[in-house]
Structures are given as C-alpha cells and as structure tokens.
Amino acid sequence: MDTTALAEAARDLLLVAPADFVTERTARQRATRGQDRDLATAIGALRKPAPAAWVVDLLAHDGALDEAVALGPAIRQAQADADPAAIAALRHQRAEVVAALAQAGADLASDAGHPVTAAVLAQVRATIEAAMADPHAGAAVRSGLLVQPLESAGFDDVDLDGALVVPDAVPEAWSGSGADPIPITSARRTATASRASRTTKTTRTTKTAKTAPEPDAVAPPRDHAADRRAARQAESTARGESRDADAALDRAETDLASAEDRRAALQQELDRATADVRRRERDRDDAETASDRARDVLAAAQRHRRDLGR
C-alpha cells in the first residue's frame, strides 16, 4: 500500500473541520475505490482529529510552526548551560510565539466556519509547547498528520502514542548533533528505557541512603510526582479509550457506507431484472397476439376452402 498517497489523502482530510470529517472521508474513499481498493480501505480507516489537533494541522499546513519548533533546541541548550539570562529571554520569546500561534489557529478555525473554545486553544498551546520541548514531537506536529493534542511534563517527555494518523509517513526528527535522523518510534523506546533506568537508579539510591526510622518518626510526605504520573497515566488511558471509541464509531460508519453501496448495487440489479421480466412478458404477449392472428387467418382460409368445395 502506498504510504505517501495515504499521507497525502490524510493531510487533505485533516484540514476539514472535525464535524465534516467522516462525510469527506467517505467521499474520498468512494472516489479512490475504483483506482486502488487497498488505499480506499486505508482511507476509510483514517481517524478523525480532535479539535485541538485539527487547529495544529491547519497551522502546520500554513508552515506557521517552523519558528516555534526551531526555538526548542535553543531553550534546551540554555537550560543545559544553566544560563539564567538566556533561559529567561527564550522563555519570554516562547510565550510570545505560542500566544501568537494560538491566536492564528483560532483565526484559521473561525475562517473555516468552526470557531474553537478556550479549552481547545489551551490544548493547542500545550501541543506547541510540547513540540518545542521534544524534537520528535516537533516532527510530529509539523507533519500535518496530528489527530491528538500533545502535552509535555518536561523536556523529552512527550507521549506520541496514537497521536499520528499515519505514523510511518511522519518525517524523522533531527537530533541536532549531526547524527542520522532518529525514527520517532525508536526515539520513544529509547526515551522510555532512559526514564525507566533513571527511576530504577533513584529507587536504589534512596534505599541505600535510608536509615532506620526513629521510633516516633512521622509518616513520609505524599509523593506528588507519583500522583502526577498516575494522573497522566489515567488521562492517557482515558484518551486511549476515547480513541478506541472513535475508531469503532468510524468503522461502523464505514461499514454503513459500504452496506449502503451494496444495497444500491442490489437495487440496480433488481431494477434490471424487473425490466428484463417485463420485457419478456411483453414479448410473450406479442407472441400470443401473433399466434391468435395466425389462428384466425388459418380458420378463415379453411372456411374459404370449404365454401369453394361446395
């Protein structure tokens, strides 16, 4: 199956307002079916974007996200250098860029006839900030194939699972170090393994440094970081369930469209069969009429012959 063709179709569809997505997708699928059935099937399985992802895709289509994504490496370098002045200046610039892009996205949505809410714009801002924080998220956001908003709890901590409608077509993120481009999927596995390793080391260090508790020691403070991780996990699970529900609904709508196509085809066959039956009935009636006339002619001839013989 042609991934490039699928990605092009997906980018076109993702520019359609979410409320009109399913109708446009069905029309695109039907138009493609005669040329490439595999591609048509893949188009029918494309997921509908969340409103915030739709706005980000509109910005990506206009090339408006390049400046924002380009700020990411500079901010990360300033933090690595522990340069307070540079960090403050870049953060101020980041805030201005994010605010301007969010307003531009709101304008694009309004121009398309589907203005978005303040909550959606907050997700748009969070997605742009995530694109600055993580180069892999930056590549995903600029691809124009986003179907879920992104969120970053810190640099290199953006979850891209399920965020792209055609993951294989997303350009690879450049590491910024002169190394080969890093595939998003590989980068996600590396980042996950790195976080797991850091968590294990922290746990071991804590266990080693721990001393025997005092008899009257108070209970340890609540682990707010763990609470946040649990909350993010619950939110991720809820988003996954929502995506599954959307996918099931989209599949049902696709099945309904296919059933309607089949019903229309069967109706055409029935109409042709009915017309054929009526034509045959007319032929039969014509044949019976001709037979009756022939019998009448024969009877008249016989009577005439008898009359001549008398």
Side-chain angles (χ1 to χ4, degrees):
M1 208 272 298
D2 189 345
T3 301
T4 300
L6 178 61
E8 290 176 355
R11 287 189 179 95
D12 289 342
L13 289 171
L14 292 176
L15 297 178
V16 176
D20 303 323
F21 177 84
V22 173
T23 300
E24 293 295 328
R25 183 189 60 191
T26 300
R28 186 66 174 260
Q29 180 185 22
R30 290 175 176 172
T32 307
R33 188 175 296 154
Q35 293 78 33
D36 190 332
R37 294 191 66 85
D38 290 340
L39 178 59
T41 299
I43 289 174
L46 293 174
R47 288 186 290 126
K48 179 171 61 178
W54 170 61
V55 174
V56 173
D57 288 332
L58 292 177
L59 291 169
H61 177 70
D62 282 359
L65 298 172
D66 295 349
E67 180 183 356
V69 174
L71 274 178
I75 296 174
R76 289 191 294 274
Q77 186 60 49
Q79 288 200 336
D81 295 341
D83 185 342
I87 291 173
L90 288 168
R91 284 182 175 173
H92 178 72
Q93 184 179 359
R94 177 182 66 181
E96 290 182 341
V97 169
V98 170
L101 286 173
Q103 183 58 54
D107 293 341
L108 288 173
S110 295
D111 291 344
H114 294 271
V116 293
T117 65
V120 169
L121 286 182
Q123 291 182 325
V124 171
R125 287 191 290 271
T127 299
I128 296 170
E129 290 173 353
M132 294 177 174
D134 183 347
H136 311 293
V141 163
R142 293 178 64 190
S143 72
L145 296 172
L146 203 68
V147 288
Q148 291 291 337
L150 305 179
E151 182 179 5
S152 174
F155 289 108
D156 299 325
D157 193 24
V158 178
D159 183 7
L160 297 177
D161 182 30
L164 298 165
V165 71
V166 188
D168 293 341
V170 175
E172 296 173 345
W174 186 254
S175 67
S177 62
D180 291 335
I182 303 172
I184 288 177
T185 52
S186 299
R188 291 297 98 218
R189 289 194 293 270
T190 301
T192 300
S194 176
R195 288 195 296 272
S197 175
R198 291 197 300 269
T199 301
T200 301
K201 290 179 180 178
T202 300
T203 302
R204 289 175 179 170
T205 302
T206 302
K207 289 182 178 180
T208 301
K210 187 186 297 183
T211 58
E214 295 294 332
D216 297 329
V218 298
R222 185 181 182 87
D223 189 346
H224 296 290
D227 290 344
R228 288 193 296 272
R229 287 194 297 272
R232 287 197 299 271
Q233 180 61 40
E235 182 182 0
S236 177
T237 299
R239 286 200 303 266
E241 292 175 351
S242 177
R243 289 195 299 268
D244 291 343
D246 286 343
L249 177 60
D250 289 346
R251 285 193 299 271
E253 291 172 338
T254 300
D255 291 343
L256 176 60
S258 299
E260 289 176 347
D261 289 344
R262 179 59 178 161
R263 182 187 62 79
L266 290 174
Q267 184 62 50
Q268 290 178 352
E269 292 179 6
L270 177 60
D271 292 343
R272 286 194 295 268
T274 301
D276 185 61
V277 168
R278 290 174 178 171
R279 185 174 58 255
R280 291 177 182 274
E281 288 176 343
R282 287 194 300 270
D283 291 343
R284 181 200 62 194
D285 293 341
D286 292 343
E288 290 178 348
T289 300
S291 176
D292 291 341
R293 285 199 299 266
R295 282 196 297 270
D296 292 342
V297 170
L298 177 60
Q302 289 174 343
R303 287 194 302 272
H304 181 67
R305 187 176 60 183
R306 286 197 299 273
D307 291 342
L308 291 176
R310 290 179 180 175

